Amino acid sequence: MRVELHFTPHQIDELALRDRTVVVIDVLRASTSIANALFNGAKEIIPVTSVERAVKISGNLFGDHVLRGGERNGKMIEGFNLGNSPAEYSEEKIKGKAIIFSSTNGSLALEKARFARNVAIGGFVNISQVVAFVQEVNQDFTVLCAGNNGMFSLEDSVCAGMLVQRLSEADLDDVAFSDAAIASGMLYKGYSRNLLKMVKNSEHGKYLTGIGQADDLAFCAGVDTIPVLPQLIGSVIRVKRDTEKAEPSKTPVIS
Ligand code: MLT
């Protein structure tokens, strides 16, 4: 198994991901919100890259069974029901609903992966699910970090490094890592003791704190707290592998 990694979606052409297995990582906050929404019973999530498209798709379905969720500049989009704070995707708000979802970087990364064969969505909150998934698929795969407006994002790269670290510790016959994957593994080693501190000191972490969304950081830095594996199937994200609402891990988030 060869593991490749791209620090931003701008580094890769979608056709290069055709028929590949891809893990999309957007720790702050798309991956975490998507996992929490599906864990709390959302029927499905339809990622789109533009607000216009979200409005068009939800059209007259909007309201009863279809909600709009997402952000621009970290804030809820006007006319949407939900922003991109993972905690907003509570059972009472989203159970049984479909969510048209648009975020700045996460949606773009998902769009880039649309021709891939298998696409899983990962973060710290479901890292063990992602490790199990790539071991099960047992093929070369690509980690696609959502990044931050085309720039390297620390939190996504450290999370990718955690995946690399877990795979390098797993008893896999032959696993090879690209230089970018090796570099992310080293990054993870440097920050593994206090992921929340790393997230708080990241550029996007500081930005979200600056707009009053600091509570999201601890939520997004939790490890294995949301044991589901969202997968992009065609143009819809669903949970194929459900752990029947297993108890989230009680690993305390170091503040
Ligand atoms: C993104 O997709 O860019 C992020 O999830 C943005 C955010 O939620 O702050």
Side-chain angles (χ1 to χ4, degrees):
M1 177 199 288
R2 177 171 164 73
V3 183
E4 293 186 1
L5 182 144
H6 297 285
F7 290 114
T8 82
H10 297 70
Q11 286 182 341
I12 184 86
D13 180 88
E14 55 222 13
L15 294 179
L17 294 175
R18 178 188 284 279
D19 295 337
R20 281 190 67 80
T21 293
V22 176
V23 174
V24 170
I25 294 180
D26 186 5
V27 170
L28 293 179
R29 299 165 288 176
S31 287
T32 312
S33 296
I34 289 169
N36 201 38
L38 292 166
F39 185 74
N40 287 329
K43 191 163 139 265
E44 60 196 10
I45 295 170
I46 297 117
V48 292
T49 50
S50 74
V51 175
E52 297 68 34
R53 187 133 179 74
V55 172
K56 190 154 173 274
I57 291 181
S58 52
N60 46 28
L61 295 173
F62 178 48
D64 297 347
H65 305 293
V66 176
L67 300 176
R68 296 174 189 152
E71 58 70 44
R72 288 294 180 272
N73 304 315
K75 300 182 181 120
M76 185 163 84
I77 300 164
E78 203 183 323
F80 275 38
N81 310 89
L82 302 149
N84 200 15
S85 286
E88 286 181 73
Y89 293 81
S90 61
E91 199 161 327
E92 92 225 45
K93 272 205 193 134
I94 53 102
K95 190 171 177 67
K97 307 259 169 117
I99 300 167
I100 315 290
F101 181 84
S102 186
S103 75
T104 312
N105 305 296
S107 296
L108 178 64
L110 288 162
E111 172 141 293
K112 281 274 176 139
R114 71 184 185 284
F115 298 132
R117 180 192 304 273
N118 302 299
V119 181
I121 292 133
F124 292 122
V125 292
N126 66 343
I127 193 73
S128 295
Q129 300 284 321
V130 175
V131 171
F133 163 77
V134 292
Q135 285 187 287
E136 199 177 300
V137 173
N138 193 19
Q139 283 169 1
D140 298 354
F141 76 96
T142 299
V143 182
L144 183 56
C145 295
N148 193 358
N149 294 310
M151 305 292 281
F152 173 96
S153 96
L154 184 61
E155 67 279 2
D156 291 349
S157 308
V158 169
C159 184
M162 188 174 193
L163 174 57
V164 164
Q165 179 69 21
R166 293 275 187 96
L167 289 174
S168 57
E169 287 161 358
D171 156 24
L172 294 169
D173 298 345
D174 61 6
V175 57
F177 299 101
S178 69
D179 289 354
I182 292 168
S184 72
M186 295 308 292
L187 265 179
Y188 170 67
K189 280 198 182 125
Y191 289 102
S192 58
R193 289 178 185 287
N194 198 334
L195 295 174
L196 180 55
K197 186 171 169 212
M198 176 273 297
V199 166
K200 281 182 177 172
N201 292 324
S202 71
E203 282 179 66
H204 199 46
K206 287 180 190 156
Y207 175 78
L208 290 171
T209 303
I211 60 167
Q213 314 262 355
D215 294 352
D216 293 348
L217 305 188
F219 200 116
C220 296
V223 175
D224 286 332
T225 49
I226 306 177
V228 290
L229 185 78
Q231 291 185 263
L232 182 66
I233 302 150
S235 58
V236 173
I237 302 171
R238 290 197 183 95
V239 167
K240 232 194 308 184
R241 252 172 80 88
D242 191 342
T243 50
E244 274 96 40
K245 202 70 183 177
E247 279 313 302
S249 93
K250 296 272 176 297
T251 320
V253 174
I254 306 161
S255 56

